[in-house]
């Protein structure tokens, strides 16, 4: 059973990615284990989990940056996992990316205008003479002064650089943005501004967003639906309000208890005990059983199937929800 629906802009089924370990030709590390989910046009899907949970590997598989994959990731009916490199380059007009470090997409040697022109030139979008105007409009769309176009990345603040990276991703008018920890390096006020900006861009343009973050409080403020990932497995999915207000999986419950309360007079955060097991030797059965306070004997040997968790489209992978 999968909780993912039938029609979507991006439809991912049983996606697995693995890495061959250097010096050990027969050993592989499975970074993503059978991920299935949908992203609909104009939807914001939050992907949360601790560091090392496989979030970035999943993003890299969808972006064609990690090719050792199986399963399916249909974007407009085309499987991103099986596209030739030339087709993947072409689809990047519609599927753009933004990363934690804006310098991953902005060259320090290029002015902001030059960085914004590059995708327009590459995809030959609009007449040449109109492209500089389009680049300045992209800066305005991310609420920056278009006069910044003549500056270089080192001449603007970190928050401005991240908005320029977002402008560069938006300048081709993509249908999907994969945003990997895009606000993690920003201070709290700047995070709040970026979250508002992502939402306004989605409302104005209808772009869908896969928003990846280790920070649940960030995802809570932005996402329509949520995927919770642990050790390469998606353990819970559902509408954001449902997942945050009635989390079904013990891991999600632990993550939420670890978020500091806005009011310090309230209960102090409870840190999830224990270390995440090595992905090289994942536990048998439920991958969370070594840290789960509610583990049952079966949890150590039987992997739970994903199933509905008391509400439509809210699903979890936990034996506690077995009928
Ligand atoms: Fe805990 Fe068992 Fe549920 Fe895993 S399947 S989360 S170990 S109760």
């Amino acid at each position: 059973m999968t909780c993912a629906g039938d029609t979507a802009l991006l439809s991912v089924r049983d996606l697995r990615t693995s890495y061959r370990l250097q010096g050990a030709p027969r050993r592989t590390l499975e970074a993503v284990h059978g991920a299935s989910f949908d992203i609909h046009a104009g939807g914001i899907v939050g992907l949360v989990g601790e560091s090392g949970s496989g979030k970035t590997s999943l993003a890299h598989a969808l972006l064609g940056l990690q090719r050792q994959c199986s399963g399916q990731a249909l974007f407009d009916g085309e499987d991103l996992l099986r596209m030739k490199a030339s087709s993947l380059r072409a689809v990047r007009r519609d599927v753009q990316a933004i990363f934690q470090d804006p310098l991953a997409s902005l060259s320090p040697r290029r002015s902001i205008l030059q960085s914004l022109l590059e995708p327009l030139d590459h995809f030959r979008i609009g007449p040449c003479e109109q492209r500089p105007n389009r680049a300045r409009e992209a800066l305005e769309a991310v609420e920056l002064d278009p006069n910044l176009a003549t500056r270089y990345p080192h001449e603007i603040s970190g928050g401005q650089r991240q908005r320029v990276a977002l402008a560069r991703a938006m300048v081709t008018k993509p249908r999907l943005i994969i945003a990997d920890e895009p606000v993690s390096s920003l201070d709290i006020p700047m995070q709040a501004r970026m979250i508002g900006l992502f939402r306004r861009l989605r409302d104005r343009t209808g772009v869908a967003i896969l928003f990846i973050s280790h920070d649940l409080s960030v995802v809570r403020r932005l996402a329509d639906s949520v995927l919770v990932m642990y050790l390469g497995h998606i353990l819970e999915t559902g509408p954001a309000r449902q997942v945050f207000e009635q989390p079904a999986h013990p891991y999600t419950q632990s993550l939420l208890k670890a978020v500091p309360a806005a009011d310090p007079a309230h209960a102090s955060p409870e840190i999830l005990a224990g270390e995440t097991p090595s992905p090289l030797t994942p536990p048998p059965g439920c991958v969370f059983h070594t840290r789960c306070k509610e583990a049952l004997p079966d949890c150590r040997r039987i992997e739970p199937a994903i199933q509905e968790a008391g509400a439509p489209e809210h699903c979890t992978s936990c034996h506690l929800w077995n009928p």
Side-chain angles (χ1 to χ4, degrees):
M1 172 181 179
T2 173
C3 279
D6 293 330
T7 55
L9 178 64
L10 176 70
S11 180
V12 176
R13 293 292 179 274
D14 198 24
L15 191 158
R16 293 166 192 257
T17 72
S18 55
Y19 298 92
R20 282 205 186 91
L21 297 178
Q22 281 187 345
R26 293 204 187 138
R27 281 193 85 192
T28 57
L29 182 156
E30 190 173 62
V32 179
H33 178 92
S36 295
F37 61 93
D38 289 339
I39 302 181
H40 293 267
I44 302 180
V45 175
L47 174 58
V48 296
E50 294 168 294
S51 173
S53 59
K55 308 184 298 296
T56 293
S57 295
L58 176 50
H60 283 187
L62 297 176
L63 290 166
L65 302 174
Q66 150 65 335
R67 302 291 272 165
Q68 204 171 320
C69 312
S70 64
Q72 200 176 56
L74 294 181
F75 179 80
D76 243 2
E78 300 274 346
D79 192 349
L80 297 174
L81 306 186
R82 282 171 187 75
M83 274 185 186
K84 292 182 180 156
S86 56
S87 304
L88 264 176
R89 279 195 292 277
V91 91
R92 284 298 288 274
R93 176 174 176 166
D94 283 327
V95 182
Q96 287 280 354
I98 169 170
F99 302 101
Q100 179 174 351
D101 178 4
L103 294 179
S105 48
L106 301 177
S107 166
R109 294 190 197 85
R110 290 185 178 171
S111 71
I112 288 161
L113 178 61
Q114 288 170 322
S115 287
L116 292 173
L117 285 175
E118 198 217 339
L120 294 174
D121 293 339
H122 177 79
F123 293 111
R124 299 183 185 173
I125 297 173
C128 288
E129 64 279 8
Q130 290 178 12
R131 289 176 193 157
N133 273 346
R134 189 160 172 164
R136 290 189 171 86
E137 285 166 10
L139 288 177
E140 287 180 306
V142 296
E143 300 163 10
L144 284 174
D145 182 346
N147 291 324
L148 286 181
T150 55
R151 305 266 194 93
Y152 284 77
H154 69 272
E155 296 178 313
I156 60 177
S157 71
Q160 288 174 322
R161 274 200 291 275
Q162 196 55 298
R163 276 189 282 164
V164 171
L166 182 55
R168 190 175 188 277
M170 289 296 295
V171 77
T172 62
K173 296 191 170 35
R175 298 161 71 198
L176 172 66
I177 287 190
I178 297 177
D180 190 1
E181 301 278 7
V183 302
S184 300
S185 61
L186 305 178
D187 60 27
I188 301 289
M190 193 52 69
Q191 280 190 357
R193 290 178 67 183
M194 277 296 281
I195 290 167
L197 178 57
F198 270 107
R199 188 180 287 284
R200 289 190 289 280
L201 283 174
R202 184 279 299 271
D203 292 347
R204 276 206 303 269
T205 68
V207 67
I209 301 170
L210 176 61
F211 191 94
I212 299 169
S213 177
H214 68 282
D215 187 338
L216 269 75
S217 58
V218 167
V219 170
R220 186 173 201 156
R221 283 180 278 163
L222 180 64
D224 306 315
S225 59
V226 179
L227 312 168
V228 181
M229 203 165 183
Y230 179 79
L231 214 60
H233 295 240
I234 292 182
L235 298 184
E236 182 160 1
T237 69
R241 174 173 286 192
Q242 187 75 26
V243 171
F244 285 117
E245 292 182 2
Q246 294 183 295
H249 197 282
Y251 177 58
T252 315
Q253 292 163 5
S254 301
L255 288 179
L256 285 168
K257 284 181 191 158
V259 176
D263 178 356
H266 279 82
S268 40
E270 281 179 42
I271 304 302
L272 175 58
E275 295 288 319
T276 308
S278 165
L280 278 173
T281 52
C286 169
V287 283
F288 188 58
H289 84 248
T290 56
R291 302 171 82 187
C292 180
K293 289 181 185 161
E294 302 181 58
L296 309 164
D298 275 353
C299 301
R300 297 170 201 280
R301 55 186 189 85
I302 302 172
E303 183 177 345
I306 189 117
Q307 57 204 310
E308 274 198 7
E313 298 180 25
H314 186 191
C315 296
T316 191
S317 164
C318 173
H319 290 307
L320 296 176
W321 287 90
N322 271 341

